[in-house]
Amino acid sequence: MNLSFSTVACPGWSLAQVASAAHTFGYQGIELRVLDGKVVEPSTLIGRSAEVLETLGDIKVASIDTSIALAVDGPEWAGQLEEFCASAAAVGAPVVRVWGGRYPSSVRYEEAVEQVSKRLNEAASIAEAASVQVLLETHDAFSALSVMEDVFANIPSPHVGVLWDVHNTYAVGKSSPHEVWSSLGDRIAQIHVKDARPGAGELWDPVLLGFGAVPVRESVETLKQADFGGWLSLNWLKFQRPELEEPEIALPQYSGLLQEWIK
């Protein structure tokens, strides 16, 4: 396993600051989501691909994380995905992340699952053309293991897969790491981790590693037993929740423990 972190952890940082922190704190890669306070767009990445590669040096781009929500977006999603896949290829990222999203109550569950499955099959062709992989994250209405099982029941292509957010499948889906891996392990290509504890209502509050209730260490042990060789990525939501600890605190704290657990 290699360690990466999403740039949502450090939304105000420049690319040079991101690269420096990755080196300093023991990460081998990053997920590009936010740079210089703005959500990353394909046009920005394609136009800056040479700069991105030169600035990062031996730090890899583990994925490009998009806002595409397959259950709710209009037909423009396909064109957006093509652009993101092209930008991923330009910076050497093997993966483009998409969401299912939160579909309205007027849409039946079966309809939402059918649409996401259909669009993932379409996404497979787009991903294959760019020599990348599109991953659906366990997020929003698609956090539960049972939902992801339904989505992937009829998706044969290896060019689409699962980005497993351990927090979401546990806090929302109520599934253990062993259950998730046993069912979806052959489709899981990347992992998001963050610790958290129950907060107000359905929301959980992210906390430093080891101070919450998410079975992160159990997940790492599951991945070790499976000889998982992909990216284990910190998803510290500083961009969405400014009150969280600063990246200078969270990044080394998570890296230190994760490196210890991976051994």
Side-chain angles (χ1 to χ4, degrees):
M1 275 179 282
N2 290 311
L3 294 184
S4 62
F5 64 89
S6 169
T7 55
V8 294
C10 46
W13 285 3
S14 67
L15 192 62
Q17 287 175 297
V18 171
S20 176
H23 277 292
T24 301
F25 300 139
Y27 292 88
Q28 295 79 49
I30 61 167
E31 293 186 24
L32 281 175
R33 174 61 170 157
V34 180
L35 278 178
D36 300 318
K38 298 178 181 179
V39 172
V40 168
E41 296 294 342
S43 57
T44 303
L45 288 178
I46 292 175
R48 296 177 62 186
S49 59
E51 175 197 349
V52 169
L53 292 171
E54 181 179 357
T55 303
L56 290 179
D58 60 350
I59 300 298
K60 306 299 184 183
V61 181
S63 67
I64 305 296
D65 296 344
T66 80
S67 299
I68 294 171
L70 298 179
V72 297
D73 285 356
E76 71 281 355
W77 76 271
Q80 292 174 353
L81 183 61
E82 287 181 357
E83 292 180 347
F84 273 112
C85 287
S87 67
V91 297
V95 162
V96 173
R97 187 281 308 279
V98 299
W99 287 323
R102 294 187 182 276
Y103 54 89
S105 58
S106 59
V107 176
R108 292 189 302 114
Y109 169 79
E110 293 79 8
E111 293 173 337
V113 167
E114 181 180 5
Q115 174 163 303
V116 172
S117 296
K118 178 181 178 182
R119 287 182 166 184
L120 281 175
N121 277 315
E122 294 176 42
S125 298
I126 297 172
E128 184 176 9
S131 298
V132 299
Q133 190 178 28
V134 171
L135 301 185
L136 177 67
E137 184 174 350
T138 55
H139 193 270
D140 290 332
F142 295 80
S143 294
L145 172 59
S146 60
V147 178
M148 296 293 279
E149 288 173 334
D150 288 345
V151 167
F152 280 90
N154 295 298
I155 300 178
S157 175
H159 290 280
V160 292
V162 175
L163 195 163
W164 174 23
D165 187 297
V166 173
H167 164 265
N168 290 341
T169 55
Y170 181 76
V172 180
K174 311 302 181 187
S175 295
S176 71
H178 177 74
E179 289 171 329
V180 174
W181 186 264
S182 295
S183 178
L184 298 176
D186 60 338
R187 305 306 298 254
I188 293 172
Q190 195 162 318
I191 321 291
H192 272 176
V193 295
K194 65 175 176 292
D195 208 348
R197 55 189 174 216
E202 296 181 355
L203 292 177
W204 283 42
D205 296 321
V207 294
L208 295 177
L209 187 55
F211 291 87
V214 179
V216 177
R217 186 164 192 173
E218 181 183 343
S219 301
V220 172
E221 290 300 322
T222 298
L223 295 171
K224 286 171 63 177
Q225 291 173 14
D227 198 25
F228 177 72
W231 290 99
L232 186 65
S233 191
L234 170 59
N235 193 36
W236 188 248
L237 303 177
K238 182 71 174 176
F239 180 60
Q240 296 90 336
R241 302 186 64 171
E243 76 276 8
L244 295 181
E245 282 85 352
E246 297 298 323
E248 293 88 348
I249 295 173
L251 291 177
Q253 197 270 345
Y254 269 81
S255 175
L257 273 179
L258 289 173
Q259 289 183 73
E260 179 182 322
W261 294 351
I262 288 172
K263 292 178 182 177

